[in-house]
Amino acid sequence: MALAKLGAVVLDCPDPAALAGFYAGILGGTVEAEEGWADLTTPDGRALAFQASPGFVAPEWPAPDHSQQFHLDLTVDDLDAAEAGALALGAKPLDADDRSRTWRVYADPAGHPFCLCAC
């Protein structure tokens, strides 16, 4: 049984609206942007998001000593149950202490960040 559904892939970048516009040009769809964040919804309903990242350094590929710089937002129905399942699978909390938010941040076993986000 799955613990979550993929909500969006989020790319760090210096200018979220500009990068969303680039991908909208490639993929089609609509962009909704606000300060520091942009969402692209493709014609088939898939989501790609872009987040401003202070001090952004572009990834180098292929280069094993440089980060790919992205994280996953995973949509869940029950944050507490999904958190328990993710921790049991080896996730490590990064910023999950604030229980008033509708999202919590973890690292996967390889250290990549991801968020569990309430529907």
Side-chain angles (χ1 to χ4, degrees):
M1 180 174 148
L3 295 175
K5 297 181 292 184
L6 182 62
V9 174
V10 181
L11 302 173
D12 285 356
C13 60
D15 185 340
L19 194 56
F22 169 79
Y23 279 102
I26 292 173
L27 301 170
T30 58
V31 173
E32 292 184 29
E34 58 187 56
E35 183 70 28
W37 186 271
D39 288 308
L40 167 62
T41 303
T42 64
D44 63 0
R46 295 177 194 244
L48 190 58
F50 306 87
Q51 172 178 277
S53 177
F56 176 78
V57 176
E60 295 180 27
W61 187 91
D65 57 340
H66 290 87
S67 167
Q68 292 298 305
Q69 301 175 1
F70 79 97
H71 76 267
L72 298 174
D73 282 350
L74 306 176
T75 303
V76 301
D77 292 323
D78 182 329
L79 273 173
D80 293 329
E83 176 182 61
L87 294 173
L89 291 170
K92 304 227 180 307
L94 295 179
D95 184 22
D97 293 332
D98 186 349
R99 299 300 200 214
S100 67
R101 297 185 309 217
T102 59
W103 50 272
R104 300 175 191 164
V105 185
Y106 306 87
D108 68 19
H112 301 108
F114 69 94
C115 298
L116 295 177
C117 305
C119 296

PDB file of all heavy atoms in Angstrom, residues 12-14 16 51-57:
ATOM      1  N   ASP A  12      14.686  24.175  -7.331  1.00  0.00           N
ATOM      2  CA  ASP A  12      15.270  25.409  -6.818  1.00  0.00           C
ATOM      3  C   ASP A  12      15.867  26.179  -7.991  1.00  0.00           C
ATOM      4  O   ASP A  12      16.405  25.583  -8.932  1.00  0.00           O
ATOM      5  CB  ASP A  12      16.375  25.104  -5.809  1.00  0.00           C
ATOM      6  CG  ASP A  12      15.840  24.642  -4.468  1.00  0.00           C
ATOM      7  OD1 ASP A  12      14.614  24.620  -4.284  1.00  0.00           O
ATOM      8  OD2 ASP A  12      16.667  24.292  -3.612  1.00  0.00           O
ATOM      9  N   CYS A  13      15.795  27.501  -7.922  1.00  0.00           N
ATOM     10  CA  CYS A  13      16.307  28.318  -9.015  1.00  0.00           C
ATOM     11  C   CYS A  13      16.379  29.781  -8.567  1.00  0.00           C
ATOM     12  O   CYS A  13      15.806  30.144  -7.544  1.00  0.00           O
ATOM     13  CB  CYS A  13      15.414  28.187 -10.244  1.00  0.00           C
ATOM     14  SG  CYS A  13      13.711  28.697  -9.984  1.00  0.00           S
ATOM     15  N   PRO A  14      17.059  30.644  -9.330  1.00  0.00           N
ATOM     16  CA  PRO A  14      17.120  32.049  -8.942  1.00  0.00           C
ATOM     17  C   PRO A  14      15.857  32.844  -9.278  1.00  0.00           C
ATOM     18  O   PRO A  14      15.543  33.814  -8.610  1.00  0.00           O
ATOM     19  CB  PRO A  14      18.327  32.583  -9.716  1.00  0.00           C
ATOM     20  CG  PRO A  14      18.528  31.641 -10.838  1.00  0.00           C
ATOM     21  CD  PRO A  14      18.003  30.313 -10.391  1.00  0.00           C
ATOM     22  N   PRO A  16      11.937  31.893 -10.135  1.00  0.00           N
ATOM     23  CA  PRO A  16      10.899  30.885 -10.363  1.00  0.00           C
ATOM     24  C   PRO A  16       9.964  31.192 -11.529  1.00  0.00           C
ATOM     25  O   PRO A  16       9.656  30.297 -12.323  1.00  0.00           O
ATOM     26  CB  PRO A  16      10.132  30.860  -9.040  1.00  0.00           C
ATOM     27  CG  PRO A  16      11.104  31.343  -8.028  1.00  0.00           C
ATOM     28  CD  PRO A  16      11.933  32.363  -8.752  1.00  0.00           C
ATOM     29  N   GLN A  51      11.002  27.119  -6.946  1.00  0.00           N
ATOM     30  CA  GLN A  51      11.178  27.807  -5.674  1.00  0.00           C
ATOM     31  C   GLN A  51      12.446  28.648  -5.712  1.00  0.00           C
ATOM     32  O   GLN A  51      13.513  28.155  -6.117  1.00  0.00           O
ATOM     33  CB  GLN A  51      11.285  26.744  -4.580  1.00  0.00           C
ATOM     34  CG  GLN A  51      11.660  27.232  -3.221  1.00  0.00           C
ATOM     35  CD  GLN A  51      11.674  26.076  -2.230  1.00  0.00           C
ATOM     36  OE1 GLN A  51      10.639  25.718  -1.713  1.00  0.00           O
ATOM     37  NE2 GLN A  51      12.838  25.493  -1.998  1.00  0.00           N
ATOM     38  N   ALA A  52      12.357  29.908  -5.295  1.00  0.00           N
ATOM     39  CA  ALA A  52      13.540  30.763  -5.225  1.00  0.00           C
ATOM     40  C   ALA A  52      14.500  30.204  -4.178  1.00  0.00           C
ATOM     41  O   ALA A  52      14.089  29.791  -3.102  1.00  0.00           O
ATOM     42  CB  ALA A  52      13.151  32.187  -4.862  1.00  0.00           C
ATOM     43  N   SER A  53      15.767  30.192  -4.525  1.00  0.00           N
ATOM     44  CA  SER A  53      16.781  29.654  -3.634  1.00  0.00           C
ATOM     45  C   SER A  53      17.915  30.660  -3.512  1.00  0.00           C
ATOM     46  O   SER A  53      18.691  30.844  -4.457  1.00  0.00           O
ATOM     47  CB  SER A  53      17.305  28.330  -4.192  1.00  0.00           C
ATOM     48  OG  SER A  53      18.333  27.820  -3.376  1.00  0.00           O
ATOM     49  N   PRO A  54      18.018  31.338  -2.342  1.00  0.00           N
ATOM     50  CA  PRO A  54      19.124  32.284  -2.148  1.00  0.00           C
ATOM     51  C   PRO A  54      20.469  31.573  -2.300  1.00  0.00           C
ATOM     52  O   PRO A  54      20.654  30.464  -1.814  1.00  0.00           O
ATOM     53  CB  PRO A  54      18.930  32.766  -0.714  1.00  0.00           C
ATOM     54  CG  PRO A  54      17.492  32.492  -0.408  1.00  0.00           C
ATOM     55  CD  PRO A  54      17.141  31.252  -1.196  1.00  0.00           C
ATOM     56  N   GLY A  55      21.367  32.189  -3.022  1.00  0.00           N
ATOM     57  CA  GLY A  55      22.681  31.599  -3.215  1.00  0.00           C
ATOM     58  C   GLY A  55      22.681  30.414  -4.158  1.00  0.00           C
ATOM     59  O   GLY A  55      23.589  29.582  -4.119  1.00  0.00           O
ATOM     60  N   PHE A  56      21.669  30.307  -5.021  1.00  0.00           N
ATOM     61  CA  PHE A  56      21.562  29.177  -5.935  1.00  0.00           C
ATOM     62  C   PHE A  56      22.830  28.988  -6.746  1.00  0.00           C
ATOM     63  O   PHE A  56      23.407  29.949  -7.261  1.00  0.00           O
ATOM     64  CB  PHE A  56      20.376  29.390  -6.890  1.00  0.00           C
ATOM     65  CG  PHE A  56      20.258  28.327  -7.933  1.00  0.00           C
ATOM     66  CD1 PHE A  56      19.710  27.098  -7.617  1.00  0.00           C
ATOM     67  CD2 PHE A  56      20.696  28.547  -9.224  1.00  0.00           C
ATOM     68  CE1 PHE A  56      19.591  26.105  -8.574  1.00  0.00           C
ATOM     69  CE2 PHE A  56      20.582  27.564 -10.191  1.00  0.00           C
ATOM     70  CZ  PHE A  56      20.030  26.341  -9.864  1.00  0.00           C
ATOM     71  N   VAL A  57      23.284  27.761  -6.835  1.00  0.00           N
ATOM     72  CA  VAL A  57      24.406  27.374  -7.682  1.00  0.00           C
ATOM     73  C   VAL A  57      23.871  26.303  -8.618  1.00  0.00           C
ATOM     74  O   VAL A  57      23.337  25.285  -8.167  1.00  0.00           O
ATOM     75  CB  VAL A  57      25.582  26.817  -6.846  1.00  0.00           C
ATOM     76  CG1 VAL A  57      26.697  26.328  -7.747  1.00  0.00           C
ATOM     77  CG2 VAL A  57      26.085  27.873  -5.872  1.00  0.00           C
TER      78      VAL A  57
END
